[in-house]
Amino acid sequence: MQHNLLTISLKTPKFIFGVFLFACICFHQVAYSDDYSDLNISVINEINNYKYSRPTVKSSSQAQSLVESIHFKIFESVKELCAFEDINEKECIWTISIIRSPEFNAYASRGKRITLTSGLIDSLSDDDELAFIIAHEIGHHLYDHIDQNMKTSFISMVLGTIILDSTELGFIAGNIINAATSIRKELSADAIAYRIIHRAGFDTSKARQALFRIAKRDQRINSEFLQTHPSGMERIIAYDELERLSE
């Protein structure tokens, strides 16, 4: 009998940690759209009928000049938004760099950095699209998503070491929690990006085309368990709701 009690006591921390991890995943990982709704079918048809414009290759100086002009235009909008939302001024500072790569990509990283690929810049037809993508990455910094992910990973490793006697399991748990919360962070970055470009006077209907370029590269209808990004269709639906609310 004592042996059984000892076994249960040793397993209890792992059980509690597992329940906590499962609860975090279930709370944050939710379906954002219904596969068969009329709205979804309409957006799917719109995505299927969307035609890419041919990329316009820009020199390094042309790309840099374009990014700087857009950045200058949205800078005051972001500052106003930071003041309105009472966001710490330290979160409203960032640097933007361009790397030569054919990939269609942009990302925010530590040190308040934003990186854009030349392939992404060349592929976009309108300044409004690029403004939305830059503002999206700014949104990650404004909401402190990068540091939040790092803190989650660190805390999970510490708890893993204490409760599970395994730093590796804690690291895995941190990655799972970050993945489970990532879709909400991406959609929140889209939402604040919309507000930024709307305030700055960009055409939000043209900016919407950036999401169609993403959706054409992403054949998913819905995001799935532990995927880090919403599907292109989910992002378009959420964006259209922002448009509707702003009317």
Side-chain angles (χ1 to χ4, degrees), residues 100-124:
R100 301 302 299 180
S101 168
E103 292 185 9
F104 185 94
N105 197 19
Y107 54 89
S109 56
R110 292 186 64 189
K112 303 299 179 186
R113 289 190 293 267
I114 294 170
T115 303
L116 310 172
T117 64
S118 57
L120 178 142
I121 296 170
D122 292 343
S123 297
L124 302 177

Side-chain angles (χ1 to χ4, degrees), residues 86-134:
D86 197 26
I87 297 173
N88 192 311
E89 287 186 3
K90 293 181 180 179
E91 305 301 329
C92 297
I93 300 173
W94 56 88
T95 58
I96 303 178
S97 60
I98 302 168
I99 59 173
R100 301 302 299 180
S101 168
E103 292 185 9
F104 185 94
N105 197 19
Y107 54 89
S109 56
R110 292 186 64 189
K112 303 299 179 186
R113 289 190 293 267
I114 294 170
T115 303
L116 310 172
T117 64
S118 57
L120 178 142
I121 296 170
D122 292 343
S123 297
L124 302 177
S125 300
D126 296 296
D127 292 358
D128 312 272
E129 295 179 69
L130 183 54
F132 175 74
I133 288 176
I134 292 173

Side-chain angles (χ1 to χ4, degrees), residues 47-50 52 211-219:
I47 293 170
N48 289 336
N49 293 328
Y50 177 79
Y52 280 117
L211 295 177
F212 279 87
R213 297 180 191 277
I214 293 169
K216 291 290 278 191
R217 291 171 168 80
D218 177 9
Q219 298 301 311

